[in-house]
């Protein structure tokens, strides 16, 4: 009697352990691709958020321009003066202007931009459009474009 009592409390059999390991392996194989894809989703979300912020900021600048009687510059009320073109949007004529406009209209702590690939975004210019290319993730290419003639902002995830 003592012998059967010991045997019933002996622990797991090797078969039970193998079954548990196989089940954990299957769960890991199913879950791992979901977690690996989160990084790509995070980069897409950051680019979409930055693009939305730029679009909203450009519309605020344009609304201030309209409300102020169409002046050549708009005061963003923090002392920042933004040069405005004839259609009421921030003026750009070179990649350096794209950097200036980005930093003027967005709040501190926003993604950073430069003409080189040293910041979150690299600014390039082809009249009348600023293209801000997301640097931390090379593929796929994610961009935010700003058209200074129409004020249009397009986000390419």
């Amino acid at each position: 009697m003592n012998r059967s009592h010991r045997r019933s409390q002996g622990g797991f059999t090797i078969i039970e352990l193998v079954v548990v390991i196989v089940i954990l392996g299957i769960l890991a194989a199913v879950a791992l691709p979901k977690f690996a894809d989160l990084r790509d989703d995070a980069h897409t979300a950051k680019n979409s958020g930055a693009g939305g912020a730029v679009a909203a900021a450009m519309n605020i600048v344009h609304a201030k321009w309209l409300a102020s009687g169409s002046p050549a510059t708009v005061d963003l009320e923090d002392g920042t003066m933004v040069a405005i073109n004839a259609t009421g949007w921030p003026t750009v004529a070179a990649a350096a202007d794209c950097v200036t406009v980005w930093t003027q209209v967005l709040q501190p702590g926003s993604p950073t931009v430069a003409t080189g690939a040293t910041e979150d975004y690299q600014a390039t210019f082809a009249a009348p459009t600023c293209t801000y290319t997301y640097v931390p993730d090379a593929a796929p290419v994610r961009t935010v474009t700003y058209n200074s003639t129409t004020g249009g902002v397009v986000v390419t995830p």
Side-chain angles (χ1 to χ4, degrees), residues 18-44:
V18 168
V19 168
V20 168
I21 291 171
V22 167
I23 290 171
L24 289 175
I26 291 169
L27 289 174
V30 170
L32 188 61
K34 298 288 182 190
F35 290 117
D37 196 38
L38 290 180
R39 181 180 172 140
D40 188 54
D41 290 346
H43 287 299
T44 299

Side-chain angles (χ1 to χ4, degrees), residues 6 12-13 19 33 44 48 51 54 63-64 78 85 95 100 118 128 130 133-134 138 143 145 156:
R6 240 193 285 167
F12 298 109
T13 66
V19 168
T44 299
S48 294
V54 169
K64 275 190 82 76
D78 64 353
N85 63 24
T100 300
T118 58
C130 290
T133 304
Y134 185 65
T143 61
T145 56
T156 305

Side-chain angles (χ1 to χ4, degrees), residues 131-153:
T131 301
Y132 303 98
T133 304
Y134 185 65
V135 174
D137 190 32
V141 176
R142 294 175 173 87
T143 61
V144 174
T145 56
Y146 161 62
N147 183 315
S148 63
T149 302
T150 65
V153 174

